[in-house]
Amino acid sequence: MKKNLTLKQIAKELEVSVSTVSKALKNSEEISESTRQKIQAFAKLYNYKPNNIALSLKNRKTKTIAVIIPEIVHHFFAMVISGIESVANKSGYNVIICISNESYEREVINIEMLASGSIDGFIISLAKESQEKKDYHHIKEVINQGMPVVMFDRVTREVYTDKVIIDDVLATQEAIQFLLSKQRKDIAFITTPDYISVGRLRTEGYTKMLLQNDIEINEDLIVRIANEEELITQLEHLFDTQKFNALVAVNELYAVAALKIALKRGIKVPDELNIIGFTDGIISQHSTPAISTIKQNAFKMGEISAKLLINKLEEENEHEHYITEVIGTELLHRETTSL
Amino acid sequence: MKKNLTLKQIAKELEVSVSTVSKALKNSEEISESTRQKIQAFAKLYNYKPNNIALSLKNRKTKTIAVIIPEIVHHFFAMVISGIESVANKSGYNVIICISNESYEREVINIEMLASGSIDGFIISLAKESQEKKDYHHIKEVINQGMPVVMFDRVTREVYTDKVIIDDVLATQEAIQFLLSKQRKDIAFITTPDYISVGRLRTEGYTKMLLQNDIEINEDLIVRIANEEELITQLEHLFDTQKFNALVAVNELYAVAALKIALKRGIKVPDELNIIGFTDGIISQHSTPAISTIKQNAFKMGEISAKLLINKLEEENEHEHYITEVIGTELLHRETTSL
């Protein structure tokens, strides 16, 4: 079978990163001239043509939108996709999903593959690694080529486009405020490293609210999970070394893990320990006791993302005007908070 | 923006089904000649060209495979996709996912869209509605066009292609055998209607094993859930009207729903009631008590599906030879079975 050269193969052959190849082929000045020349020559030699389909399709609309999500085994993203599908299908659009698996490289590869002709626009939530690298050239590139992009949940200020988010700072503040109103002032906070925008903003909400109430921040009560394989170890360490009567986690996986450890240690939930998670997913609903949670309205987030994208696609005149839509959240009390 | 006509629009305009349009454009004799002529004329008039990209791409390999799954908010399918991604990415293939949402029409639309040029092959698990209608012309069509297809989990004998399944009959028999060996002979069985292949085969395993042990089948102990909105009502009715000391469910959602009802009624699990589910997902793992389950090795199912497809894509000579790979299952004891 005749095969076409892929970005990845060029990268491997020349021992550079996929991102370098991608930038060099676009003649980006970020890449040294000698490297650019080498890569361009190689691509020419082996007949690499990323845009040959795109050209033939210039005026053809595919009625297909692509969604790039960081992971699939995650109820939040699954619900966002259900929301996107619901609006897209009603409007006669097909939906294609690709998974970056939290990898910057896979995000770049997926976007390049789809941008070259098979779709009309993107809905994207950033991979952890892209947020860590702060490299968004691949997204800026498709926008520059005139393809509409909507970002949701994990977004960045560095890309100017339509966005759909929740107010992570405010949502966390509301949860902390509730706990403080019940005289629970020793609050552990299970979050992600700060390079993940959502984790950083929620941590900001936590510290802001404590400071507003003249409570000193105890850094040992803040646990940042960089690697999910170490989740249990880090939580056990928290329970071993700290005293707290409430715990807030930035997702339901962290919340249920904390709940299980507490129950095993004979800690009474909610009497001795209140627990609040983010994401109203199947884990929170089905655990015993069921977990109180900050409901992010993922389905609605998907619906609005799809609406924004389709509006852009069907606008007669192109406007250089972007909006950020903020979706409301609500604190849903189940069995892990004391009312 | 200039728009192209879609199958769906033609169907709507002429007030026929998408499947009729699709078949008529392929000149299928299933459709009356007058209808065929009308649809073909309409498509020509409005310049519908499903295969214009396909033609230009005839010799171009996209290094992309498409996966069509029935639903996304489902741990089993998410894990299969992780397995597919893992093998595909190592072999330099991209993966595109589309969701049929259990709808025959969306399955047809997704397959038609992708088959016309953007991908090299398909991995498919059938929508409920396709299994109910027993209409697989859209899948046979892409196979006839020379595009490799691998089916997994929800498969059909009517399509001759590579398949990856578990032995649903045997897996269920093992679970029932375990319960019988513990003298639990009154076993409720929560399943799907028989048109879903997986549900039918598991029900077959249940009845076979009981009959082998000279236990009469009590049809009232078999609950078939056609509509998940009625899950709770149907389960409550089972608990209200029947006596049983064990319960097997064909997925973890049904299992956890039964567990919650049992706990609310003060029934001791596992002492008074053993529960076994299918699918080793996050619900089974995180519920309290954690649910004993028949592990389907979804990740492995994805890996093998991807390997079979990529082998087909990279074969130098095309063979008309297909295999069905059967993945082993195991009964995983957690806290809802008595050992």
Side-chain angles (χ1 to χ4, degrees):
Chain A
M1 280 180 176
K2 190 177 153 191
K3 282 178 208 161
N4 257 50
L5 205 61
T6 66
L7 273 189
K8 205 170 168 182
Q9 288 164 332
I10 303 180
K12 201 176 160 193
E13 206 61 47
L14 298 180
E15 292 179 344
V16 295
S17 72
V18 167
S19 140
T20 302
V21 177
S22 158
K23 287 176 185 166
L25 291 176
K26 278 158 202 151
N27 222 12
S28 158
E29 295 191 353
E30 275 182 62
I31 309 299
S32 74
E33 197 172 330
S34 69
T35 306
R36 261 186 283 161
Q37 285 177 349
K38 187 172 72 179
I39 291 170
Q40 289 172 2
F42 184 89
K44 202 172 170 189
L45 185 65
Y46 287 97
N47 206 25
Y48 177 73
K49 288 177 188 164
N51 291 319
N52 53 355
I53 321 180
L55 288 174
S56 76
L57 287 174
K58 217 167 179 179
N59 291 310
R60 185 181 185 274
K61 289 295 147 194
T62 61
K63 290 288 262 185
T64 301
I65 62 187
V67 184
I68 316 274
I69 52 170
E71 30 175 337
I72 188 162
V73 190
H74 200 311
H75 193 258
F76 170 74
F77 289 114
M79 286 306 291
V80 173
I81 286 174
S82 297
I84 293 171
E85 291 262 347
S86 148
V87 166
N89 293 346
K90 271 179 221 147
S91 316
Y93 281 80
N94 300 308
V95 179
I96 276 179
I97 301 147
C98 284
I99 300 162
S100 65
N101 199 18
E102 302 289 11
S103 146
Y104 163 79
E105 182 176 296
R106 290 229 62 77
E107 193 174 275
V108 172
I109 290 174
N110 283 329
I111 288 177
E112 302 248 346
M113 161 185 74
L114 292 165
S116 59
S118 4
I119 61 139
D120 297 343
F122 282 102
I123 298 175
I124 301 175
S125 189
L126 291 166
K128 272 188 195 170
E129 214 188 347
S130 307
Q131 291 202 311
E132 199 175 354
K133 277 176 183 276
K134 295 187 180 157
D135 186 338
Y136 311 111
H137 83 281
H138 49 302
I139 299 173
K140 290 178 188 161
E141 181 69 24
V142 290
I143 295 174
N144 289 343
Q145 287 176 1
M147 188 170 274
V149 172
V150 174
M151 301 183 84
F152 74 91
D153 192 51
R154 297 208 204 143
V155 305
T156 173
R157 280 189 199 170
E158 292 182 37
V159 178
Y160 186 48
T161 193
D162 287 332
K163 290 164 200 167
V164 186
I165 53 171
I166 64 164
D167 189 331
D168 287 287
V169 177
L170 191 68
T172 316
Q173 282 181 317
E174 281 172 4
I176 302 296
Q177 190 172 33
F178 166 81
L179 294 168
L180 295 178
S181 77
K182 300 289 168 184
Q183 307 308 320
R184 295 189 178 259
K185 297 187 177 171
D186 302 312
I187 308 174
F189 195 70
I190 320 301
T191 183
T192 67
D194 280 348
Y195 59 76
I196 308 219
S197 55
V198 163
R200 183 184 63 248
L201 292 168
R202 292 176 190 170
T203 310
E204 190 185 319
Y206 165 80
T207 50
K208 260 192 181 166
M209 202 45 155
L210 290 186
L211 292 174
Q212 271 181 35
N213 285 273
D214 297 319
I215 298 170
E216 215 178 317
I217 307 298
N218 173 0
E219 277 293 334
D220 293 333
L221 282 178
I222 305 178
V223 180
R224 289 184 176 80
I225 312 292
N227 177 350
E228 280 183 7
E229 281 168 24
E230 283 159 25
L231 173 62
I232 302 302
T233 324
Q234 284 184 263
L235 286 176
E236 293 277 9
H237 179 74
L238 172 76
F239 278 89
D240 283 343
T241 59
Q242 303 297 316
K243 286 214 181 303
F244 47 95
N245 52 17
L247 182 149
V248 176
V250 301
N251 62 46
E252 60 174 358
L253 197 66
Y254 298 177
V256 78
L259 172 63
K260 285 217 141 186
I261 292 173
L263 293 177
K264 275 202 185 124
R265 288 171 182 240
I267 297 168
K268 289 194 189 97
V269 178
D271 296 350
E272 294 167 14
L273 177 65
N274 270 211
I275 296 178
I276 298 176
F278 265 86
T279 316
D280 182 27
I282 46 177
I283 297 179
S284 306
Q285 287 164 35
H286 294 301
S287 76
T288 312
I291 300 173
S292 300
T293 193
I294 296 158
K295 202 176 160 182
Q296 289 165 278
N297 294 318
F299 189 86
K300 194 173 172 192
M301 190 174 260
E303 287 182 315
I304 292 179
S305 301
K307 272 179 202 157
L308 285 174
L309 185 66
I310 291 171
N311 283 347
K312 252 339 177 247
L313 290 172
E314 305 198 336
E315 259 172 11
E316 287 299 322
N317 306 309
E318 284 175 30
H319 302 288
E320 275 290 328
H321 168 73
Y322 296 110
I323 63 167
T324 293
E325 190 131 358
V326 181
I327 313 246
T329 59
E330 54 191 296
L331 182 53
L332 201 66
H333 290 287
R334 289 209 179 92
E335 297 164 2
T336 60
T337 40
S338 338
L339 292 180
Chain B
M1 279 179 177
K2 189 178 152 191
K3 280 177 209 161
N4 257 53
L5 203 61
T6 66
L7 274 189
K8 205 169 167 181
Q9 288 164 332
I10 302 179
K12 201 175 160 193
E13 206 59 48
L14 300 180
E15 292 180 344
V16 295
S17 73
V18 167
S19 140
T20 302
V21 177
S22 159
K23 285 176 186 166
L25 291 175
K26 278 157 203 151
N27 220 12
S28 159
E29 297 192 351
E30 273 182 63
I31 309 300
S32 74
E33 198 173 328
S34 68
T35 307
R36 262 185 282 161
Q37 284 176 348
K38 186 172 72 179
I39 292 170
Q40 288 171 2
F42 185 89
K44 202 173 170 188
L45 184 65
Y46 287 96
N47 207 23
Y48 176 73
K49 290 177 188 163
N51 291 317
N52 53 355
I53 321 177
L55 288 174
S56 77
L57 287 174
K58 216 166 178 181
N59 292 309
R60 185 180 184 273
K61 288 297 147 193
T62 61
K63 292 288 260 182
T64 301
I65 62 186
V67 184
I68 316 275
I69 52 171
E71 31 175 337
I72 189 161
V73 189
H74 199 311
H75 193 258
F76 170 74
F77 290 114
M79 286 305 292
V80 172
I81 286 175
S82 298
I84 293 171
E85 290 262 348
S86 148
V87 166
N89 293 346
K90 271 180 220 147
S91 316
Y93 282 80
N94 301 308
V95 178
I96 276 179
I97 301 147
C98 284
I99 300 162
S100 65
N101 199 20
E102 303 289 11
S103 146
Y104 164 78
E105 181 177 296
R106 290 229 60 78
E107 193 175 274
V108 172
I109 289 174
N110 283 328
I111 289 177
E112 301 248 345
M113 160 185 75
L114 292 164
S116 60
S118 6
I119 61 140
D120 297 343
F122 282 102
I123 298 175
I124 301 175
S125 189
L126 291 167
K128 271 188 198 169
E129 212 187 348
S130 307
Q131 291 203 310
E132 200 175 353
K133 279 175 182 275
K134 295 189 178 155
D135 186 339
Y136 311 111
H137 84 281
H138 50 302
I139 299 173
K140 290 178 188 162
E141 181 68 24
V142 290
I143 295 174
N144 289 343
Q145 286 176 0
M147 189 170 273
V149 172
V150 174
M151 301 183 85
F152 74 92
D153 193 50
R154 297 209 204 142
V155 304
T156 172
R157 280 189 198 167
E158 292 181 36
V159 178
Y160 186 48
T161 193
D162 287 332
K163 290 165 199 166
V164 187
I165 52 170
I166 64 165
D167 188 330
D168 286 286
V169 177
L170 192 68
T172 315
Q173 282 180 318
E174 281 172 5
I176 302 296
Q177 190 171 37
F178 166 81
L179 294 168
L180 294 179
S181 76
K182 299 291 170 186
Q183 307 308 319
R184 294 188 180 259
K185 296 186 179 174
D186 301 312
I187 308 174
F189 195 70
I190 319 302
T191 184
T192 66
D194 278 349
Y195 58 75
I196 308 224
S197 55
V198 164
R200 183 183 63 245
L201 293 168
R202 292 176 191 170
T203 310
E204 188 184 320
Y206 165 81
T207 49
K208 261 192 182 169
M209 202 43 151
L210 291 186
L211 292 176
Q212 272 180 34
N213 284 272
D214 299 318
I215 298 170
E216 217 177 317
I217 308 298
N218 173 0
E219 278 294 333
D220 293 335
L221 282 176
I222 305 178
V223 180
R224 290 184 176 81
I225 312 292
N227 178 348
E228 280 182 8
E229 280 168 24
E230 283 160 24
L231 173 61
I232 302 301
T233 322
Q234 286 187 259
L235 287 176
E236 294 277 10
H237 178 76
L238 173 76
F239 278 88
D240 282 343
T241 57
Q242 303 297 317
K243 286 213 179 306
F244 48 94
N245 52 18
L247 181 150
V248 175
V250 300
N251 64 45
E252 61 174 357
L253 197 66
Y254 298 177
V256 77
L259 172 62
K260 286 217 141 189
I261 292 174
L263 294 176
K264 274 200 185 128
R265 290 173 180 239
I267 297 169
K268 288 192 188 102
V269 178
D271 296 348
E272 293 166 13
L273 177 65
N274 269 212
I275 296 178
I276 298 176
F278 265 86
T279 317
D280 183 27
I282 46 178
I283 296 179
S284 306
Q285 288 163 38
H286 294 301
S287 76
T288 312
I291 299 173
S292 300
T293 192
I294 296 159
K295 201 177 160 181
Q296 289 165 277
N297 294 316
F299 189 86
K300 194 172 171 193
M301 191 174 258
E303 287 183 313
I304 293 178
S305 300
K307 272 179 203 157
L308 285 174
L309 185 66
I310 291 171
N311 283 348
K312 255 330 181 253
L313 290 172
E314 303 198 338
E315 258 172 12
E316 287 299 323
N317 306 309
E318 285 175 29
H319 301 288
E320 275 288 329
H321 167 76
Y322 297 110
I323 63 168
T324 293
E325 190 130 359
V326 181
I327 314 246
T329 58
E330 54 192 296
L331 182 54
L332 202 67
H333 290 288
R334 290 209 178 91
E335 296 163 3
T336 58
T337 40
S338 340
L339 292 179

